[in-house]
């Protein structure tokens, strides 16, 4: 079996070098490494970790890299995960610093960025669909659609901060099974009466 430190460094370096466009575009890459390639966790656990990481301040990709490293090898793994993830970006920024003016005015670079945007959108849409599918499987259609509408209302209409919305749903999730069992008992009592 490959050494866990090598796995952490390889996975996080790959996400750091292939991730383009910031945190949201890197999350599907990190998910692929953690869930599909190395099987460090299941999809459900990754979704929970992602929700908690989104509620904390700072870049999402480095939080995920640190968490995965810590989960596998403690503090040393967390340090390695973060360093391996940010190393490609640091090297690229230092190497390309002298060309910033060229890149900011180049129509070629603007075209490249415009071409990448749909790819990132599709990656995020696929991940959102998969998480939504799991939510509907676990909660049911009515609750899944209801929670989607509530979160949409809170985020888009009332402009509630995303961390607060995530916290509210995490809080509800902590009591979901208990509430569901109480609801079923109440329904059985109603049927037997």
């Amino acid at each position: 079996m490959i050494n866990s430190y090598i796995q952490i460094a390889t996975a996080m370096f790959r996400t750091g070098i292939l991730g383009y466009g910031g945190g949201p575009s890197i999350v599907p890459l990190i998910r692929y490494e953690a869930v599909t390639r190395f099987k460090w966790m299941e999809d459900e656990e990754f979704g929970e970790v992602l929700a908690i990481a989104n509620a904390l301040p700072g870049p999402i990709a480095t939080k995920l890299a640190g968490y995965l490293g810590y989960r596998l090898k403690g503090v040393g793994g967390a340090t390695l995960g973060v360093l391996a993830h940010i190393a490609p970006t640091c090297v690229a920024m230092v190497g390309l610093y002298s060309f910033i003016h060229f890149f900011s005015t180049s129509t070629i670079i603007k075209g490249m960025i415009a071409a990448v945007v749909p790819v990132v959108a599709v990656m995020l849409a696929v991940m959102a669909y998969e998480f939504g599918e799991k939510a509907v499987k676990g909660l049911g259609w009515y609750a899944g659609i209801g929670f989607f509408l509530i979160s949409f209302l809170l985020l888009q209409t009332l402009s509630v901060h995303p961390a607060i919305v995530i916290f509210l749903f995490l809080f509800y999730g902590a009591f979901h099974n208990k509430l569901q069992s109480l609801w079923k008992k109440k329904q059985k009592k109603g049927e037997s009466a």
Side-chain angles (χ1 to χ4, degrees):
M1 183 173 163
I2 299 175
N3 184 334
S4 294
Y5 285 112
I6 294 172
Q7 286 183 351
I8 294 167
T10 303
M12 293 306 108
F13 184 80
R14 206 175 0 242
T15 61
I17 205 162
L18 296 176
Y20 180 82
S25 65
I26 295 172
V27 170
L29 299 173
I30 292 175
R31 179 183 160 270
Y32 175 79
E33 296 291 337
V35 175
T36 306
R37 184 183 301 252
F38 292 113
K39 299 184 184 349
W40 293 329
M41 62 179 57
E42 296 295 320
D43 244 347
E44 291 80 17
E45 185 181 356
F46 185 82
E48 293 167 7
V49 170
L50 180 62
I52 292 169
N54 269 322
L56 299 173
I60 186 71
T62 52
K63 289 183 281 188
L64 289 173
Y67 173 80
L68 291 170
Y70 185 81
R71 187 174 189 273
L72 292 171
K73 285 296 189 179
V75 174
T79 304
L80 177 63
V82 171
L83 290 175
H85 180 74
I86 65 171
T89 303
C90 292
V91 170
M93 286 302 295
V94 170
L96 298 175
Y97 183 72
S98 62
F99 299 106
I100 286 178
H101 180 67
F102 171 75
F103 284 135
S104 66
T105 59
S106 171
T107 56
I108 295 171
I109 299 302
K110 288 178 183 175
M112 290 170 62
I113 292 170
V116 169
V117 169
V119 175
V120 172
V122 169
M123 288 170 47
L124 288 172
V126 167
M127 189 175 74
Y129 173 78
E130 289 174 356
F131 282 145
E133 190 177 41
K134 284 180 177 41
V136 167
K137 220 181 259 186
L139 297 170
W141 277 101
Y142 295 120
I145 292 170
F147 287 142
F148 170 77
L149 292 174
I150 291 169
S151 63
F152 184 82
L153 174 75
L154 290 172
L155 293 168
Q156 297 299 319
T157 306
L158 301 176
S159 299
V160 176
H161 192 278
I164 295 170
V165 175
I166 291 168
F167 178 76
L168 290 172
F169 281 102
L170 285 173
F171 184 76
Y172 171 80
F175 300 103
H176 173 74
N177 288 337
K178 188 169 271 198
L179 292 171
Q180 195 172 30
S181 65
L182 287 172
W183 175 261
K184 287 180 181 178
K185 285 181 187 176
K186 190 174 181 179
Q187 282 184 328
K188 285 181 183 179
K189 285 182 183 178
E191 290 173 4
S192 62

